[in-house]
Amino acid sequence: LHLAGAGWIMIHDFKVPEAYNVETTTAAFMIPASYPTTEFDMMYFYPGLQRKDGQSIGALSLQQLEGKNFQRWSRHRIAGEWRAGIDNLETHVLSVQSWLIDELKKR
């Protein structure tokens, strides 16, 4: 875990489900200027993830960070779901893990 310039946190060796092309990746999270009132949003991976079954992953783009092209996953919480003072990076990571699993259920 390290800060990657102003407003970013990176978690190295972030484990992903076996159905992806890598076992671990670096996961980056942008810290909103108004955190903790404002929620964490989206997730960024380097190297980028691909499904081993060849199915495409939607809502992806690239984000330059520390000289690398991170894969940005546009995933968001349901409006009003963020609980200021309760939710934090740890609860956001739990959401990310859920989104990774949910992606594998898509056909």
Side-chain angles (χ1 to χ4, degrees):
L1 176 72
H2 82 267
L3 295 177
W8 289 92
I9 294 175
M10 289 189 180
I11 301 174
H12 298 284
D13 299 319
F14 186 86
K15 187 155 179 58
V16 297
E18 289 182 19
Y20 289 100
N21 59 315
V22 295
E23 291 180 17
T24 63
T25 187
T26 295
F29 304 94
M30 186 180 348
I31 305 168
S34 57
Y35 174 81
T37 305
T38 303
E39 64 194 58
F40 282 94
D41 193 30
M42 298 191 272
M43 57 230 187
Y44 305 79
F45 298 115
Y46 182 84
L49 303 179
Q50 296 175 357
R51 291 173 51 155
K52 285 183 181 178
D53 65 6
Q55 294 290 319
S56 64
I57 300 171
L60 300 179
S61 61
L62 295 178
Q63 172 74 40
Q64 187 78 10
L65 186 57
E66 291 195 331
K68 298 175 183 162
N69 283 322
F70 276 70
Q71 182 187 58
R72 183 181 82 181
W73 286 44
S74 183
R75 305 293 188 277
H76 315 281
R77 292 172 179 262
I78 297 167
E81 185 180 36
W82 181 260
R83 302 163 298 169
I86 297 171
D87 286 313
N88 53 36
L89 179 61
E90 182 179 6
T91 60
H92 185 64
V93 167
L94 293 173
S95 292
V96 167
Q97 290 169 330
S98 177
W99 293 332
L100 288 168
I101 292 167
D102 289 347
E103 182 61 39
L104 297 170
K105 296 175 185 173
K106 296 177 183 177
R107 298 272 177 225

